[in-house]
Amino acid sequence: MLQHFNKHEEFYKDLGSQYPELDLVNQWDFVKEYIAAFEPIYIATKSMQAMHTSLCDFYLTWIKAVMQVGKITSNKFAEPLATSLTRRLKQLKDNMVFKSALLIDPRFNYLNSTILCADEKEEVRAFIVATWERIKRLKACDSEQATQSTSAPTTLPCNDLDAFLTNMFGGSLPEQGLPQKTENSFVRQLNALDLEPHQNHSFDVWKHWLSRKNTHPELYDVATILLAVPSNQVSVERAFSALGLVLSDKRTKLSDDMLENILLIKLNKQLFDKILPGLYNWMDEDFQDLP
């Protein structure tokens, strides 16, 4: 509304000259200062509402808004607004999931970065390891192959040299069925995130972890979950709006499954161009029997 007033300043000045009760001559400085100070916040809010925004991108967008507000001079709103935004951001960063998302993002966590102190990193790593353990348990419940891997391991075939080396250096022969990736390797990869090179603000973190799907499979599973955590409720609000359009007064007898399928299609239509071409080749279909 204030932007509208500012855009049509001449019109409202002329209107105020005709009707003194509508005269805003003493408010124009307030309007201009308010718009200048809050415009970066408005832009940041609109960008975060446009699509799914991860916690990392939310943090980056917020910091950008703080920077832009801090650059504004001779404005009575700018300094207290920047202070308030900074204070609020510190409160948001106390969330463990928020910290975990920052830890896996090389735009924030890199060599010599101070985004998290040593104690915070220890807590975050413990949280990520616990998340990975939960993922393993869920996969074990859903995968028959994972269930079979819990059976008693059998000794791998070995030759005399293997036995000789074992007797010389101690330990036991390797066992079949043990996972190749141990918890120690996962923790080492997790700790190695502190040595990542610093990436710029436009770096695509999602593609970064997709490229590590084969080299860091366990850490990839955790990272994709953290990146999928929404920073706002825009997607939920859109789902409710779509539900209101689908479940109208004339369509109250839709079954739960039918309603869910319609919403699934309606809310993910932007993915069709990527998914449908790979489902099947319609050129190979036989349409001769169609009426």
Side-chain angles (χ1 to χ4, degrees), residues 77-91:
F77 297 107
E79 184 176 352
L81 180 58
T83 302
S84 178
L85 289 171
T86 303
R87 186 187 306 116
R88 178 58 177 166
L89 189 59
K90 290 180 179 179
Q91 295 175 353

Side-chain angles (χ1 to χ4, degrees), residues 215-269:
T215 59
H216 300 65
E218 295 90 355
L219 202 51
Y220 163 83
D221 288 340
V222 179
T224 51
I225 290 176
L226 294 175
L227 292 175
V229 176
S231 60
N232 52 53
Q233 296 181 336
V234 173
S235 59
V236 178
E237 294 174 359
R238 287 175 178 164
F240 274 112
S241 298
L243 176 63
L245 295 174
V246 174
L247 194 61
S248 62
D249 295 339
K250 297 181 180 180
R251 306 180 71 183
T252 57
K253 293 185 178 181
L254 289 173
S255 65
D256 293 343
D257 291 340
M258 180 63 70
L259 183 60
E260 182 178 353
N261 291 335
I262 293 175
L263 285 176
L264 182 65
I265 295 174
K266 190 175 184 64
L267 296 173
N268 296 280
K269 57 184 180 181

Side-chain angles (χ1 to χ4, degrees), residues 143-150:
S143 173
E144 180 179 355
Q145 182 178 1
T147 304
Q148 293 175 353
S149 68
T150 60

